Amino acid sequence: MTFDDIRTLALTWPEVEDGTSYGTPALKVRKKLLVRLREDGDSLVMPGVPPDERDMLVERQPSVFYFTDHYRDYPTVLIRLSKAKRAIVEPLLRRHWRTLASKKAVKEYDATA
């Protein structure tokens, strides 16, 4: 996958817009970070993943999921896009979008999906 793949997917959801975060391309929902590209150009910073789930993902697929000491205390996992498949990334992304989008937008999206 690439960040453009992530962007194309997420921009189909209500209230998602392009932005930047720490000087890198990002997607935001109502001005809150949905996801961003890490400075290495291949890793996705994916918030909204609790530490216990993150640890399980890293253990099961260390070539795809990882984290650095910087993110150790945050509910965030890093995803190597070059190793990731849409079927793995999309559910995490969609779940986080649902927490950031307005209830109205989620309800309308669910009605059409």
Side-chain angles (χ1 to χ4, degrees):
M1 293 196 78
T2 66
F3 188 76
D4 283 341
D5 296 332
I6 300 295
R7 186 178 172 278
T8 299
L9 169 66
L11 286 175
T12 65
W13 302 334
E15 301 180 337
V16 176
E17 58 190 46
D18 279 313
T20 60
S21 179
Y22 298 100
T24 64
L27 296 167
K28 296 184 178 185
V29 178
R30 300 184 326 156
K31 301 191 188 313
K32 294 180 183 170
L33 182 66
L34 174 63
V35 71
R36 79 171 182 95
L37 186 64
R38 199 156 180 253
E39 293 78 3
D40 66 9
D42 183 48
S43 298
L44 198 63
V45 178
M46 181 75 248
V49 180
D52 58 336
E53 181 181 1
R54 175 188 66 198
D55 293 345
M56 186 231 10
L57 291 169
V58 170
E59 184 178 320
R60 284 189 176 171
Q61 294 185 288
S63 64
V64 177
F65 298 101
Y66 71 105
F67 63 96
T68 63
D69 283 343
H70 175 77
Y71 294 103
R72 183 169 307 281
D73 297 328
Y74 297 97
T76 301
V77 71
L78 301 174
I79 303 170
R80 287 182 187 90
L81 289 171
S82 60
K83 306 282 185 186
K85 301 275 189 256
R86 179 177 172 160
I88 293 170
V89 178
E90 184 175 358
L92 296 172
L93 193 62
R94 186 183 311 268
R95 181 180 71 192
H96 190 50
W97 167 76
R98 295 175 79 83
T99 68
L100 300 175
S102 67
K103 289 179 183 179
K104 179 182 177 189
V106 171
K107 185 176 180 179
E108 289 173 358
Y109 176 79
D110 288 347
T112 62

